[in-house]
Amino acid sequence: MDPRILEPKPPKKLLALDGGGIRGLISIEILAEIERQLQTKLGRDDSFVLADYFDYIAGTSTGAIIGTCLALGMRVREIATFYEHSGPAMFDRASWLRRFNYKYEDARITQNLKDVFGADTSLGSEELRTLLLLVLRNATTDSPWLISNNPSAKYNAPERQDSNLRLPLWQLVRASTAVPVYFPPEVAQVGNISFVLQDGGMTMYNNPAFQLFLRATVEAYNLGWRAGEKEMLVVSIGTGSNPHANTNLAPGETNLLYNASSISSALMFAASNEQDFLCRVFGKCVVGEWVDREVGNMVGERGPVFPKLFTYLRYNAELSVEGLDALGLGDLHPEDVQQMDSVDHIPELQEVGRVVAKKVRAEHFF
């Protein structure tokens, strides 16, 4: 790996991408505007890609797909085209018999990822132009599995038989998108052990922003980048939040069926908020929507550490009736843009992303 990837010039620039299925199109529209403004600000031509700007990229689930594409040097419009053309095919409904286990087949998404990344491209490939962090859940060990291409990381040593750098890139990304109920898990052979891997959104890190900061700075991860408001920029991009407020909910309605259908999304929503809030507490938040009514958006607010440990930008949208109204998109139906498999509403998702992208200001990135 090029030493300049491991030790780029300050400020170090980190990009974190949330999970959210086809709602990743919201993130893509925001990234397209970031790419456009940075290209103009830096005076670059159309060969400019976000891998030329960001030093470390993290992604969970659909964010893992987008982040890997970016790390490989793809333009954002190329990624958008991939989602527009391949998104509906990736949600390929399983046969009626198999739907007792999962809704969609994995053959098409597997082939699409091999086509884009290369069937033989490994996590340790020189084709990756930035550091890359992927978030998975290891069901075999019942633990989050955050895996990077940092060659100095403990389990990436080339002499190890089970070096993570040997793992196929497409397989890790496919595993990060293996949402339970939606897709079957991915089985990866690591040395002599087979691991059953699932979607990273089933961990606390569907929003991987604060974990990315830790991976870049904590000594044990063997990167050790310096923290500081002027030393590090963390950019976090969501796929739209979907709080299920129900003011008419009666106690008797919180039965087994209710909990089975709501606990997963409730935990993911809470975990994403927590990661975002940590970034606003320990980072200098420059842009971001409200966290809640009590703390607001934390822009300009002090926390337990001062000066703060990094500068932080957060772009996201609330996909409720109220949230869409606030964006001037009251004509959209929330149910059309809230689901992870809303492949029939790609234009609406892109419209949401383009409106959120209006918050992008090039000066925030310098």
Side-chain angles (χ1 to χ4, degrees), residues 1 31 36 52 127 208 259 265 277 316 324 351:
M1 178 177 287
L31 288 165
R36 187 191 69 79
D52 295 328
E127 294 180 34
N259 287 317
S265 61
F277 186 55
N316 199 21
L324 292 173
E351 186 177 2

XYZ file of all heavy atoms in Angstrom, residues 1 31 36 52 127 208 259 265 277 316 324 351:
101
model
N 0.842 -1.196 0.000
C 0.000 0.000 0.000
C 0.873 1.240 0.000
O 1.887 1.312 0.702
C -0.934 -0.010 1.220
C -1.822 1.217 1.325
S -2.975 1.131 2.710
C -4.152 -0.079 2.105
N -23.580 12.854 -1.947
C -22.184 12.677 -2.353
C -21.907 13.322 -3.712
O -20.822 13.870 -3.938
C -21.843 11.185 -2.407
C -21.727 10.482 -1.062
C -21.750 8.967 -1.248
C -20.440 10.899 -0.348
N -19.143 17.502 -6.687
C -19.214 18.645 -7.608
C -18.586 19.887 -6.994
O -17.773 20.569 -7.638
C -20.678 18.928 -7.976
C -20.856 19.993 -9.054
C -22.296 20.427 -9.183
N -22.760 21.178 -8.033
C -22.477 22.469 -7.826
N -21.740 23.146 -8.689
N -22.941 23.085 -6.749
N -9.804 11.066 -4.134
C -8.706 12.035 -4.161
C -8.763 12.974 -2.962
O -7.784 13.656 -2.671
C -8.768 12.880 -5.446
C -8.546 12.059 -6.699
O -7.788 11.074 -6.631
O -9.124 12.406 -7.750
N -5.758 -1.742 -5.656
C -6.732 -0.931 -6.388
C -7.501 0.007 -5.460
O -8.074 1.003 -5.919
C -7.703 -1.829 -7.147
C -7.067 -2.631 -8.266
C -8.077 -3.507 -8.989
O -9.242 -3.072 -9.111
O -7.710 -4.614 -9.409
N -21.585 4.350 11.093
C -20.253 3.976 11.572
C -19.331 5.160 11.869
O -18.125 4.980 12.028
C -19.702 3.168 10.393
C -20.301 3.833 9.188
C -21.678 4.310 9.614
N -43.828 -6.267 18.934
C -42.404 -6.206 19.284
C -41.537 -6.868 18.225
O -40.458 -6.372 17.895
C -42.171 -6.860 20.652
C -42.682 -6.000 21.788
O -42.478 -4.798 21.794
N -43.362 -6.610 22.751
N -36.027 -2.282 14.060
C -35.903 -0.916 13.546
C -35.697 0.074 14.684
O -34.972 1.068 14.531
C -37.147 -0.538 12.735
O -38.309 -0.575 13.526
N -24.853 11.364 17.926
C -24.761 12.245 19.090
C -23.341 12.254 19.658
O -22.813 13.310 20.034
C -25.766 11.815 20.154
C -25.845 12.757 21.333
C -26.097 14.101 21.146
C -25.675 12.280 22.623
C -26.169 14.972 22.234
C -25.751 13.135 23.707
C -26.001 14.493 23.518
N -28.471 14.250 6.627
C -29.484 13.199 6.709
C -30.857 13.839 6.556
O -30.981 15.065 6.513
C -29.376 12.452 8.039
C -30.051 11.100 8.015
O -30.278 10.518 6.945
N -30.387 10.567 9.173
N -40.611 15.264 5.857
C -40.719 15.564 4.427
C -41.337 16.943 4.203
O -40.925 17.676 3.295
C -41.551 14.486 3.729
C -40.896 13.096 3.658
C -41.876 12.068 3.094
C -39.629 13.124 2.798
N -34.948 12.483 -5.238
C -35.436 13.842 -4.980
C -35.140 14.251 -3.540
O -34.714 15.382 -3.273
C -36.938 13.923 -5.261
C -37.503 15.328 -5.159
C -38.983 15.411 -5.507
O -39.588 14.350 -5.796
O -39.524 16.528 -5.474
